[in-house]
Structures are given as structure tokens and as C-alpha cells.
Amino acid sequence: MKTMKKALTLLLIATMVLALSVSAFAAGETTSVTISSANSETGSVYKGYMIMTAVPDNAASPTKYTYTVNPTYKSAVVSALSLTGTASDLDIYTKIAALDADGIEAFADTMYNSLKTLTADATLNEGTAASLAYGYWLIYESTAGTLTDGSDGTYTKVLLDTYAQSPAVTVTTKESVPTVEKKVDSADATSVEVGSTLTFTLTATLPTNIAKYADNGYKLVFTDTMSAGLTFGSISSVTVNGTAAQSTNSAAANYYTSVTTPSGTDTVLTVTFNNILGALDSAAIAALAGKDVVVTYTATVNDSAVVGSAGNSNEVTITYSNDPYTTGTGDSVPDEVDVYTYQLDVSKVDGSNAALTGADFTLYITTDSGATWTEVTAYNSSITKTGDTTGSAFSWTKLPAGSYKLVETTVPAGYTKADDVEFTITPVFTGNALSSITTSNTDVADDGDGTVSTTIQNISGTALPSTGGIGTTIFYIVGGILIIGAVVVLITRRRMGEEK
């Protein structure tokens, strides 16, 4: 918003002093005023009160204007300036002119508190031009707008000399809204397995104009909602601008918090700063402008974790003071992180790609680049396998990201054993969303829903002989007979040749 000091400067430029006339530099008796929010708020509504009026010397063709205090608000003005009811317009001007920036700010605050319940002289809508008569106006935000992300906006006020700004002016308010961000293991999304302990970080950045909240205090509440697939562990730390926050409701503490932790089926964590400014002096409060409030806690993945691209969402919102002049609050939109587990589907077919029963598979995982392989249910007992030799479909659920090997451990009778299949589950995230999975093996496909799949084909063929079968004896016997026959034929031919 325009600073009060700037507004006073404009007021002086307009030479408000009673009986001092100035030459008009713009035609007409109104200025087109547009209020615009630096936060890109929409829907804000402003009320305007003309504290001082600019009176033309000639209504038909004005050449000079004289400023006088609006009689409707004179009692409020003299009270705000600690003057008596007999104070003249010159007395009022002289007192205002002597105020420093803090004094002007205090004057505006007092006038706001005195006038806010009265019927306004004008109503302005965010982004829409309104014609305001020449004069000195107090304009305050009666309805806070909504930010582009859906968060609640904040309230502000401005002092404006419309004569000095004629014929048109756009006032850009300088509001500041806190932001909130949530991370899981320093990321927006991650892969997990049941039993994993995760670290969640909630970061709220305080508004840059937090000093304006010194009188009424600044409230900040984190509301964190975990999914059913997480079990709350403990709060690791709570800091304000890098300093550990007090953990007791002590009015003397610089910062104080109250905490409600999840228990049972409840998955909501709240961390409340009723007044984060506490007993800080003005310099310390100013030092908090734009600084971070950070809550860190742990949680463990449990058996209720969802498998696939739906993920296990976890979100945080903040409730924050949004009106420096009252104790009003607004709410942010949620910031979300997600954690994921995965699934493998296997289909068993014959050489004609028809479903084939009689097979069974074992899935292994390695955590040391293939030096050792561990059967997945032994690696993590929460991993579930479905399917056996009676069917042709197999699944493993609640798999973490990693490197795997699928081995056919039971081969259907009359078929050759399929080759082992090695692959990876490597997720690709966009923000907190699972975009795809890479598998490092073209025979293992990403199904697009957090599941990878493969088809294992068995080819029929003659089994090699084994212990207990006919072995090689029959082949020796047949070979011996053939050799003896050949010898007999050879001897017979030689005898026939000698007789001739």
C-alpha cells in the first residue's frame, strides 16, 4: 500500500492548508482510482472515507481548490490527533504536518478504528476504476480477496490525496501473505516400503510486513493431515528463524506452541502459535519478516499403505493472521506430498500365448547391485504374493523401488524352464505425482498405474533323461547289434569274393 509518509507528501503537494489556494492542474472534480493488489488478489472490496474535502473556488469553472476537514469526521480527526473540539482546520493541518512516518501510521490506524463502522463515502472493487471526489481519503479493505492459488488474502488500508493524483491513479497495495510448503525426505514424493520411517518437514514463511501485526499479535497454526498408511512417530523440532520454539504456553516466552499429536485412528497433527511474536521487541519482530517457521516430524509406513499411482497423500495447511487491525485469520490452500509403493503382475502362457498353469515363481530383490539376492517376502514380510501352480496369474504388492529378479521355480510338465527376468522399479515423479516407472528391461512394461507387468512364455519339448529312466543302456544295445551286423556283412562279402 502507499506508505503513510508518501500519502502525507502527496497531501503537502496538494497544499491542504486552509486559506492557501492552488492552481488546478486537471479538469473536473474527481479522480479515477483503481486499487490493485500486488498479491493478485481477486474479489477484494474497499471502503473509502473522505477525511478532507477539496472545495473549488468556482463550481462552474474552477481554477483553485481549498482543503477543509470533512465535518462528518472532524470529531474523529481531532481525537486521533489529541486536539480539542475547537481546533481549526489550520490546527489540524499543522498537527498532521508535524507527524513522522510512525505518527502518520498511528493516525491512519486510529481513523480506521473510528470510521470503519460508519457508512462509507465510496465503495471500490479490486481492479475496477471508481471516481472519487477531490480530497484526502482513507481507503481500507473491508473484504479480503482470494489469491490465485485459492488462499485467503490479507487486509490493508491506504491514505490517498485524489486531487494530487488527478486525473487517474492506480494504487498497488503492498500486502504480504505467508506461504507453506511440505516435504517428505526433502522431496515432494518418494518411494517407500512398509516399515520405512520418513521425515516430514513443514515450512511456513512469515509475511514481509509482520511488523504491522505487533499490536494484535500474529497467529500461525499448522494443520497436517497424514494418510491412513502412516503412523505418527514424534516431533523432531520446531524452530522460528532457526531458533528452537518454546514448548510451553508462557506469556513471557518469545515464541510458544501448543501441539496436538495424532493417536489411534486420528491422523491430524496441529502445531499452534497463538502469538508467534510473544514478548519480542519491535526490532526482533521486524527481524522475523519473511523468515521461516519449521516443524519437523517422523512417521512410519504401515500395512494400510495404498499401492500404485493413487499414492499415500499427506497435506498441510496453515491458518494465519490476515488483518493487522483485528484478530482475523485466513487459510492457505493445502500443500501435498505423496509416498508410493508398487506392484508386479506376471502372466504365464504357452507357446501359443494361451494361459498356462502348473508354474510357480519366486521374486528376489537385491540391495547390493546383485551380489546377493533375497526373496522379497523374506526381505519385507508386508510384501504380499498371490498366485500358485493352479493358475496362470501372479502378483506381488507393496514393493519398494529397487532391483529385482523373477525366477521360475516350478516348471509345467512337458515345458522348458523360462529364463530369469531381471528388472528395476525406478519411479519418475512430476511434483508429487507418479508420472511413470522405468524398468531397465523391455520385457517388463509400465502399466501406468504404479504397476509393472511381464508375460512369461514356456515352450514345450522332450525332457532330457534322468536317474531312474531308461538311461543310455538301450542305445548301447542297439549300437552293438548294428556293429555286429556290419561285421557279418563284411566277412560274407570277402568270402564271396575269394570263391570267384
Side-chain angles (χ1 to χ4, degrees):
M1 75 182 96
K2 299 284 187 180
T3 65
M4 304 309 168
K5 188 173 183 180
K6 175 64 175 176
L8 181 58
T9 301
L10 296 176
L11 198 62
L12 293 173
I13 292 174
T15 59
M16 298 185 308
V17 62
L18 182 66
L20 177 62
S21 299
V22 295
S23 298
F25 55 84
E29 298 177 16
T30 64
T31 296
S32 177
V33 178
T34 303
I35 307 293
S36 176
S37 169
N39 291 329
S40 301
E41 288 184 27
T42 57
S44 295
V45 179
Y46 300 85
K47 300 294 185 182
Y49 299 86
M50 190 164 62
I51 298 173
M52 306 190 80
T53 61
V55 181
D57 62 342
N58 184 322
S61 181
T63 58
K64 299 177 182 179
Y65 288 84
T66 300
Y67 279 83
T68 61
V69 177
N70 187 332
T72 303
Y73 310 129
K74 183 172 182 178
S75 62
V77 172
V78 296
S79 176
L81 296 173
S82 300
L83 297 173
T84 66
T86 60
S88 67
D89 290 329
L90 182 57
D91 293 333
I92 292 171
Y93 165 74
T94 302
K95 187 65 177 286
I96 292 176
L99 297 175
D100 59 13
D102 291 338
I104 288 292
E105 183 88 21
F107 171 67
D109 288 346
T110 303
M111 290 302 297
Y112 161 77
N113 288 322
S114 298
L115 305 184
K116 63 183 179 182
T117 60
L118 302 181
T119 301
D121 298 314
T123 299
L124 300 86
N125 294 307
E126 179 88 23
T128 301
S131 294
L132 298 186
Y134 285 172
Y136 190 51
W137 289 77
L138 170 69
I139 301 172
Y140 79 90
E141 192 169 1
S142 58
T143 301
T146 303
L147 304 186
T148 53
D149 69 355
S151 299
D152 292 332
T154 58
Y155 291 83
T156 188
K157 64 181 184 298
V158 59
L159 286 172
L160 179 68
D161 182 354
T162 54
Y163 173 53
Q165 298 294 325
S166 178
V169 62
T170 296
V171 179
T172 301
T173 64
K174 296 181 180 179
E175 302 171 71
S176 180
V177 178
T179 59
V180 66
E181 180 182 62
K182 183 172 185 176
K183 296 291 185 182
V184 53
D185 287 351
S186 302
D188 293 322
T190 191
S191 300
V192 298
E193 60 188 77
V194 175
S196 298
T197 296
L198 307 173
T199 298
F200 291 89
T201 304
L202 318 176
T203 302
T205 301
L206 296 172
T208 56
N209 64 342
I210 195 168
K212 290 186 175 296
Y213 294 84
D215 291 339
N216 292 303
Y218 194 86
K219 185 171 187 175
L220 180 68
V221 182
F222 292 87
T223 301
D224 185 89
T225 304
M226 297 180 292
S227 68
L230 287 171
T231 301
F232 177 76
S234 62
I235 291 181
S236 305
S237 64
V238 180
T239 62
V240 179
N241 193 21
T243 300
Q246 303 295 321
S247 58
T248 58
N249 281 336
S250 169
N254 286 346
Y255 321 114
Y256 62 89
T257 64
S258 62
V259 178
T260 302
T261 57
S263 61
T265 58
D266 180 22
T267 60
V268 178
L269 166 69
T270 61
V271 178
T272 302
F273 293 80
N274 285 324
N275 179 13
I276 202 167
L277 307 180
L280 295 177
D281 59 26
S282 59
I285 291 174
L288 290 180
K291 296 303 190 293
D292 291 338
V293 181
V294 182
V295 177
T296 304
Y297 72 89
T298 59
T300 303
V301 182
N302 61 46
D303 281 319
S304 296
V306 173
V307 176
S309 58
N312 299 270
S313 63
N314 308 271
E315 65 180 35
V316 64
T317 62
I318 54 173
T319 298
Y320 48 88
S321 294
N322 70 339
D323 188 347
Y325 320 113
T326 70
T327 56
T329 59
D331 296 302
S332 74
V333 294
D335 190 56
E336 182 180 314
V337 298
D338 284 82
V339 298
Y340 296 90
T341 66
Y342 309 97
Q343 179 169 321
L344 169 68
D345 289 342
V346 176
S347 298
K348 185 65 176 177
V349 298
D350 63 14
S352 301
N353 289 321
L356 178 64
T357 61
D360 203 357
F361 295 88
T362 300
L363 182 64
Y364 297 89
I365 187 171
T366 181
T367 58
D368 54 11
S369 301
T372 57
W373 294 90
T374 305
E375 195 273 321
V376 291
T377 59
Y379 170 78
N380 190 318
S381 60
S382 294
I383 296 175
T384 303
K385 175 192 175 184
T386 57
D388 54 31
T389 56
T390 61
S392 60
F394 304 82
S395 293
W396 287 262
T397 60
K398 297 182 180 176
L399 297 173
S403 299
Y404 293 90
K405 178 166 64 176
L406 180 68
V407 178
E408 185 175 29
T409 47
T410 300
V411 182
Y415 290 84
T416 57
K417 178 182 179 298
D419 292 336
D420 297 346
V421 179
E422 293 189 21
F423 64 97
T424 63
I425 293 178
T426 305
V428 177
F429 299 117
T430 301
N432 62 302
L434 176 64
S435 299
S436 61
I437 297 174
T438 58
T439 64
S440 72
N441 187 329
T442 56
D443 291 330
V444 182
D446 172 20
D447 289 352
D449 60 356
T451 299
V452 296
S453 62
T454 188
T455 298
I456 304 298
Q457 188 179 60
N458 278 119
I459 305 299
S460 60
T462 303
L464 294 176
S466 59
T467 303
I470 61 173
T472 58
T473 303
I474 185 65
F475 299 101
Y476 288 126
I477 293 173
V478 173
I481 292 173
L482 291 175
I483 292 173
I484 292 172
V487 172
V488 170
V489 171
L490 178 60
I491 295 173
T492 301
R493 286 181 176 178
R494 283 183 177 179
R495 287 180 178 177
M496 290 175 63
E498 291 175 355
E499 290 176 354
K500 292 179 179 181

